Amino acid sequence: SPEEFYRSPLLILQAIHPDWQGYFATQWASLLQGEMPPYYEYQIIHPAGGVRWLNQRNVLVRDAEGKPVAIEGIVTDITGRKEAEEETRSAHEGLDAINRIIMACASTLDAEEILNKVMDEALRITGLEGGTICYVTPGQTLHIAAHRATSRATIEDLSTHAIKIGECLCGECARDHKPLILRDREAVLKFSTREATRGEDIRFHAAFPLITGQRCVGVLCIFTRTDKKPAEQSLQLLETVSAQIAMAIDNARLYQKSIQHAIHLEEKVRQRTGELEAKNAELERFNKLFVDREMKMVELKERIKKLEGQVGSGK
């Protein structure tokens, strides 16, 4: 209360939040030198508990010799404003993150490029160091397509052994069509059925199904081997953009199939063209033989006619 500060002007030093002790010490040293900004903004620990933001507007009072002797100020609780600013900042960061992923998905039809961009953005959003993206194959197994900070044992396991839908961390997510968030080592081990995965010291793991229509086309996973945990908002962002990622992957795969189909058709056309050219060459050869035969027949008839004429004239 104001009365408490009147009785003990330095009471504020006891209330300052630990994160702001250094800032306040610097400002206090400047104050003793006669330097003071027009206002401070800092955090305190409220006696009732919780952290509050304060804005302190200042007027430095000096004596006749110009030395600072007192501070006159007005302190305002600005916690509500700071919380609103933080919400606005977080919302802007979230929109920026969503936009980056959408742009990554829309900038190319190369599936590998899309997956690598999405993987990097997912780790950037969450602040974690590791992750994987797996395709769901036509045989309903998972195939690793992109990875970061993943152990060699896990990469080899995912690459050489078919992981079925419903098996291990990613398989559970793909089967249930919903995110699987494992917040500690114990939870990770509970869902880890692969020896390679159990051997990694993963302490947080989140898997997001990539669904378009009613189909799961893949699974995006992020993880950490540290005690760091991502903000809930970052996980919500990944869940929000998972459908966009799924559509981009599906479109890229369809594009690749169309390219392969076009190449196949081009090869078929080339083969058919070669066959037709060979047939035409054969027809031309037979036609030439026929023409030569006809010409010889005409020549033979003319010779016979000439001989008949000679016989008839007695020559």
Side-chain angles (χ1 to χ4, degrees):
S1 66
E3 291 76 16
E4 291 177 301
F5 281 99
Y6 288 141
R7 290 194 301 269
S8 178
L10 297 181
L11 182 62
I12 185 64
L13 298 178
Q14 301 176 25
I16 295 295
H17 190 284
D19 291 348
W20 291 86
Q21 292 285 352
Y23 168 81
F24 223 77
T26 300
Q27 297 302 324
W28 188 260
S30 298
L31 174 63
L32 295 178
Q33 299 297 320
E35 301 173 2
M36 185 180 66
Y39 69 90
Y40 302 134
E41 287 188 354
Y42 52 89
Q43 289 178 304
I44 65 167
I45 305 295
H46 196 275
V51 177
R52 309 295 294 178
W53 274 97
L54 299 182
N55 173 283
Q56 179 178 325
R57 287 169 289 171
N58 307 309
V59 175
L60 185 61
V61 179
R62 302 174 184 270
D63 62 14
E65 298 178 356
K67 295 180 180 180
V69 294
I71 299 175
E72 292 181 354
I74 299 175
V75 177
T76 306
D77 188 329
I78 59 169
T79 303
R81 190 194 82 192
K82 285 292 187 179
E83 289 176 348
E85 289 176 354
E86 178 61 23
E87 289 177 3
T88 301
R89 184 191 64 79
S90 296
H92 285 163
E93 287 183 353
L95 290 174
D96 287 343
I98 291 173
N99 185 60
R100 288 196 304 270
I101 288 182
I102 290 175
M103 291 300 295
C105 292
S107 63
T108 179
L109 283 172
D110 183 280
E112 183 177 354
E113 185 177 350
I114 289 173
L115 294 175
N116 281 298
K117 286 183 176 181
V118 167
M119 188 80 268
D120 290 338
E121 285 298 337
L123 297 181
R124 177 179 176 180
I125 290 169
T126 58
L128 302 186
E129 81 276 8
T132 61
I133 299 179
C134 292
Y135 280 140
V136 175
T137 70
Q140 293 299 289
T141 60
L142 295 172
H143 172 73
I144 189 168
H147 56 83
R148 298 289 185 275
T150 306
S151 72
R152 180 175 298 178
T154 296
I155 294 172
E156 290 179 354
D157 185 40
L158 291 172
S159 301
T160 58
H161 299 94
I163 298 178
K164 299 177 181 179
I165 300 301
E167 182 183 2
C168 208
L169 308 175
C170 297
E172 290 266 356
C173 174
R175 181 194 62 194
D176 296 340
H177 283 206
K178 62 182 182 181
L180 178 63
I181 312 297
L182 307 174
R183 302 182 184 279
D184 54 46
R185 177 69 176 153
E186 183 179 354
V188 172
L189 289 174
K190 179 180 178 181
F191 284 88
S192 299
T193 59
R194 312 287 292 197
E195 192 62 33
T197 307
R198 294 180 65 85
E200 296 205 45
D201 187 23
I202 295 176
R203 303 180 187 182
F204 176 92
H205 188 284
F208 300 90
L210 305 177
I211 298 173
T212 176
Q214 298 298 317
R215 296 182 301 111
C216 180
V217 300
V219 178
L220 166 64
C221 296
I222 55 170
F223 61 81
T224 181
R225 299 180 183 88
T226 71
D227 292 327
K228 182 178 182 179
K229 299 293 188 294
E232 287 300 316
Q233 184 183 15
S234 67
L235 300 178
Q236 293 169 6
L237 283 174
L238 289 184
E239 185 175 0
T240 299
V241 299
S242 61
Q244 181 72 31
I245 297 170
M247 289 177 59
I249 291 174
D250 212 27
N251 289 339
R253 294 172 76 178
L254 288 173
Y255 175 73
Q256 291 299 322
K257 286 182 179 179
S258 68
I259 293 295
Q260 293 171 1
H261 184 61
I263 293 173
H264 177 70
L265 287 178
E266 186 177 346
E267 180 61 27
K268 283 289 187 182
V269 169
R270 186 162 45 247
Q271 291 177 0
R272 186 58 178 161
T273 300
E275 292 173 358
L276 290 174
E277 288 176 348
K279 290 291 185 183
N280 286 335
E282 187 177 358
L283 286 173
E284 288 179 5
R285 184 172 63 84
F286 278 111
N287 185 57
K288 186 175 184 302
L289 290 173
F290 179 77
V291 170
D292 289 346
R293 177 179 173 276
E294 288 297 312
M295 291 181 65
K296 288 180 179 179
M297 289 295 294
V298 170
E299 182 181 350
L300 180 59
K301 287 179 179 179
E302 289 179 350
R303 291 179 64 184
I304 292 173
K305 185 176 181 181
K306 185 177 180 180
L307 288 172
E308 288 176 344
Q310 291 176 351
V311 171
S313 62
K315 294 181 179 180

